[in-house]
Amino acid sequence: ETGVTQTPRHLVMGMTNKKSLKCEQHLGHNAMYWYKQSAKKPLELMFVYNFKEQTENNSVPSRFSPECPNSSHLFLHLHTLQPEDSALYLCASSQDGLTTNTGELFFGEGSRLTVL
Amino acid sequence: AQSVSQHNHHVILSEAASLELGCNYSYGGTVNLFWYVQYPGQHLQLLLKYFSGDPLVKGIKGFEAEFIKSKFSFNLRKPSVQWSDTAEYFCAVNPFGNEKLTFGTGTRLTIIP
């Protein structure tokens, strides 16, 4: 039990589909993150939300669209993806963000995305 | 931009062997340093972290890491590994006051019983 729940765990979609990944944290944290984990590459930060406001967009293509309706929920809306977008998408949360001196990330188990 | 290098991609050890995994980073300012571990089929979880103070930090399951500022290194160590330590280990760096946590490519550790 991680305290950060991601759904779906696996998703297969075509290049013309629209789908969404969902993340929910039960830790009372105020910051949430999307990371992309591809084989043989470092985890890549995609987006950061602090108190529901987007504070980082790490040059992510517009076919990925995040949404943070409240501090507990984070979505990643996907549309017209490419096969190279296939990866494990990880959601994480932290109490008050990493700019505090005690910040650390708590990760979910990830959503494995395959784009055909 | 900061970067993190983990030179060992795959390490294979026998049980009871000593472990040291290398981590070097490139960033000139103050940093917070982390080691995360991902056991097979499980989520990434924090192993240990360094923010300030004693450069030798101890984490869970007998792991420790030493921050050597002059070498920009934060190597992970364990004196005697167990089969249950089989996992992927990620070093990560966060510049002080910054939201970005930059990860290395990870080191896969396989322990042979």
Side-chain angles (χ1 to χ4, degrees), chain A residues 2 33 35 37 40-43 45 48 50 55-56 58 90 96-105 107-109, chain B residues 4 32 34 36 38 41-46 49 51-52 88 90 94-105:
Chain A
T2 74
Y33 307 75
Y35 274 85
Q37 187 176 26
K40 295 187 175 20
K41 292 175 71 173
L43 271 78
L45 177 66
V48 181
N50 231 315
T55 56
E56 288 281 344
N58 204 27
L90 293 172
D96 292 306
L98 294 179
T99 56
T100 63
N101 216 22
T102 56
E104 65 178 87
L105 296 184
F107 284 89
E109 294 183 338
Chain B
V4 179
N32 298 325
F34 304 79
Y36 279 83
Q38 190 170 29
Q42 294 190 29
H43 64 283
L44 271 165
Q45 53 190 288
L46 184 69
K49 60 187 178 185
F51 288 129
S52 63
E88 191 146 16
F90 296 88
N94 166 234
F96 182 76
N98 191 300
E99 271 294 353
K100 289 190 177 181
L101 184 62
T102 300
F103 285 82
T105 51

Side-chain angles (χ1 to χ4, degrees), chain B residues 1 4 14 20-21 28-29 33 35 46 49 52 55 58-59 65 67 73 75-76 82-83 93-94 97-98 100-101 111:
Chain B
V4 179
S14 298
E20 180 159 3
L21 301 182
L33 298 157
W35 275 96
L46 184 69
K49 60 187 178 185
S52 63
K58 296 190 185 299
F67 171 46
S73 70
N75 292 354
L76 181 70
Q82 300 171 304
W83 177 80
V93 171
N94 166 234
N98 191 300
K100 289 190 177 181
L101 184 62
I111 305 300

Side-chain angles (χ1 to χ4, degrees), chain B residues 11-67:
Chain B
V11 173
I12 303 173
L13 295 172
S14 298
E15 274 192 308
S18 65
L19 169 73
E20 180 159 3
L21 301 182
C23 173
N24 288 91
Y25 66 92
S26 63
Y27 184 76
T30 303
V31 292
N32 298 325
L33 298 157
F34 304 79
W35 275 96
Y36 279 83
V37 61
Q38 190 170 29
Y39 297 103
Q42 294 190 29
H43 64 283
L44 271 165
Q45 53 190 288
L46 184 69
L47 200 55
L48 49 78
K49 60 187 178 185
Y50 171 80
F51 288 129
S52 63
D54 189 343
L56 183 64
V57 291
K58 296 190 185 299
I60 59 172
K61 305 187 180 185
F63 285 91
E64 64 179 31
E66 185 176 11
F67 171 46

